[in-house]
Amino acid sequence: MAGFKFIYGCVTIHVMSGSRERFINMCHHRKICLEHVISGDEYLEAVISARNFRTACEIAKKTGNKIRIKKKKGIPFIAFRYRKHYSFVAGVVLCMAFIYICSLFLFNITFSGNSNLTTPVLTRYLESIGVKNGCRTACIDCNDIEKKMREDFDEITWVAAAVKGNHLYISIKENDSFEGEIKSTEIPENIIASDDGTIESIITRSGTPLVKKGDNVEKGQVLVSGVVNICDDSGEVIAKRGVTADADVLIKTEMIYSDELSEKYENKVFTGKTRVNAVIRAGKYIISIGPGAVGLKLCDKKEDYTTLKINDDLYLPVSVGKITYYEYKPEEYTYSDEEASAVLNGRLARLLSQLNQKGVQIADERVKIFKNNDIYTCEGALILISPQTVKENVAADELAMPDSKISNGEKKESN
């Protein structure tokens, strides 16, 4: 609301003499909003919009009041004050032209609803189809973007794209039950093992299972065949049909783990000395104002940028921020046995956490930590349970019937 006051202008008035109560009632009747009203013994102070000032003067004349302007604020008054300053007028015109030109080009893309598909992946995809920061908003076809994303990403079940100002909003809904590639047409496929291991469990939905729980399998071995035999009443195979094999197969595998840590290490000890540079960034051009890292021998830097915008839908192609340099001195330290074990166990725990997030179960950990000279080593094996499978197309000869069986089938038909 304060922004609109500044755009349209507002006036702080003193109402003196006459009937102030009648003045307020008539303003209310004429729908003139009085804000920040202060009532004194001999005056009334209030804020009204500039466009209502003439009407308020007419009301004051009828009620016997006198109005005195105490303060004027807003763009109309500034423009009137500098109406003969041509450079000011030219600056305003150029500013408005700059804002208009910025509104013609895309400067920000926001994704919402994406989980499996990360923002960098989606951003690179949009760039591949010609939608990127700096392109003209008039050339962006939201319907075309929606169609292409649904066609190229099987994970996406619904997508909506909209351009507001120079901001592209893309809302996505992903298929939560999506697992791997979904085929629009059924293509005969086998499920094969992608690593050596032991079958922990197998649940088949389509296809012919060739292994059972407890079987040892090798990499590349067919676990579920995409060939389904069609038998007659006597159990003899009379035909073969190709299907897309679908099954939940968990394989227990062994992962060799090894990690090393040097006994001596360097640690950064920050001295407290810093240098700060103000930075203005416009596209590929960067203007840095400040001393930089002058006087600092070794330092880390932290960058912090903010994109300028007029509102949430209109961004400017300019970012401002700062770069802070922090001086440090490297000092050599030595791990104790307890510290080294904590570091190595921490790395192992992070790996196990990443595996768990990918749906891998940890059946057993067979690792140990030992020291050899000045090197700490953590090595052993991890027993994992995971769907270590991939799919491959069924070969044409797998679907072919032997000649003897074809002839037998023909004889049965003739009989």
Side-chain angles (χ1 to χ4, degrees), residues 141-157:
D141 187 342
C142 292
N143 292 329
D144 187 55
I145 292 174
E146 295 169 1
K147 180 181 177 181
K148 287 182 178 179
M149 292 187 72
R150 285 194 299 267
E151 290 176 351
D152 296 338
F153 292 99
D154 293 320
E155 300 95 326
I156 295 177
T157 58

Side-chain angles (χ1 to χ4, degrees), residues 198-213:
T198 304
I199 300 297
E200 183 68 17
S201 67
I202 178 170
I203 301 173
T204 306
R205 286 182 286 273
S206 65
T208 304
L210 303 182
V211 295
K212 61 182 184 300
K213 180 179 179 179

Side-chain angles (χ1 to χ4, degrees), residues 371-385:
K371 182 181 179 183
N372 185 12
N373 296 328
D374 59 346
I375 301 295
Y376 289 94
T377 303
C378 176
E379 65 179 19
L382 303 175
I383 308 302
L384 311 177
I385 299 175

Side-chain angles (χ1 to χ4, degrees), residues 113-361:
N114 56 310
S115 176
N116 296 323
L117 296 171
T118 62
T119 297
V121 170
L122 294 174
T123 302
R124 287 194 296 270
Y125 171 77
L126 290 180
E127 290 178 354
S128 69
I129 61 175
V131 179
K132 57 184 178 180
N133 288 340
C135 70
R136 292 194 60 184
T137 54
C139 299
I140 298 175
D141 187 342
C142 292
N143 292 329
D144 187 55
I145 292 174
E146 295 169 1
K147 180 181 177 181
K148 287 182 178 179
M149 292 187 72
R150 285 194 299 267
E151 290 176 351
D152 296 338
F153 292 99
D154 293 320
E155 300 95 326
I156 295 177
T157 58
W158 177 85
V159 59
V163 176
K164 296 181 180 179
N166 59 5
H167 195 153
L168 174 60
Y169 295 90
I170 297 181
S171 300
I172 294 172
K173 182 173 178 56
E174 296 179 349
N175 185 359
D176 296 334
S177 61
F178 176 82
E179 293 180 2
E181 184 180 3
I182 300 176
K183 306 281 184 185
S184 57
T185 58
E186 190 173 54
I187 299 175
E189 288 182 329
N190 297 326
I191 296 178
I192 64 174
S194 58
D195 203 351
D196 299 342
T198 304
I199 300 297
E200 183 68 17
S201 67
I202 178 170
I203 301 173
T204 306
R205 286 182 286 273
S206 65
T208 304
L210 303 182
V211 295
K212 61 182 184 300
K213 180 179 179 179
D215 289 351
N216 293 324
V217 296
E218 297 178 354
K219 181 178 180 180
Q221 180 178 340
V222 179
L223 307 179
V224 181
S225 174
V227 178
V228 176
N229 294 328
I230 300 174
C231 304
D232 59 13
D233 295 339
S234 63
E236 186 176 353
V237 178
I238 58 174
K240 293 184 177 183
R241 182 168 63 90
V243 299
T244 301
D246 185 15
D248 293 332
V249 185
L250 294 179
I251 302 177
K252 183 184 291 185
T253 58
E254 183 178 85
M255 173 183 173
I256 303 302
Y257 179 79
S258 180
D259 190 14
E260 293 184 347
L261 181 68
S262 176
E263 181 183 25
K264 299 184 182 299
Y265 67 99
E266 283 190 351
N267 191 31
K268 296 178 181 179
V269 179
F270 291 92
T271 63
K273 292 183 179 179
T274 60
R275 298 285 187 274
V276 180
N277 279 20
V279 179
I280 302 174
R281 183 173 63 181
K284 298 180 180 179
Y285 300 97
I286 297 177
I287 300 175
S288 181
I289 305 171
V294 175
L296 306 181
K297 295 181 179 179
L298 296 173
C299 61
D300 282 346
K301 72 175 182 179
K302 179 183 178 183
E303 298 183 8
D304 186 19
Y305 293 100
T306 301
T307 302
L308 299 181
K309 61 180 181 178
I310 297 175
N311 54 40
D312 291 338
D313 297 326
L314 189 58
Y315 283 73
L316 300 179
V318 179
S319 299
V320 297
K322 63 179 181 179
I323 300 178
T324 307
Y325 298 90
Y326 301 90
E327 185 185 51
Y328 68 87
K329 292 181 179 179
E331 293 189 4
E332 190 176 83
Y333 289 83
T334 302
Y335 283 114
S336 65
D337 293 343
E338 292 77 11
E339 291 173 339
S341 297
V343 172
L344 292 171
N345 285 326
R347 292 179 183 176
L348 176 59
R350 284 193 294 274
L351 173 63
L352 298 180
S353 176
Q354 293 172 0
L355 292 174
N356 278 324
Q357 291 175 5
K358 295 178 181 178
V360 179
Q361 304 174 35

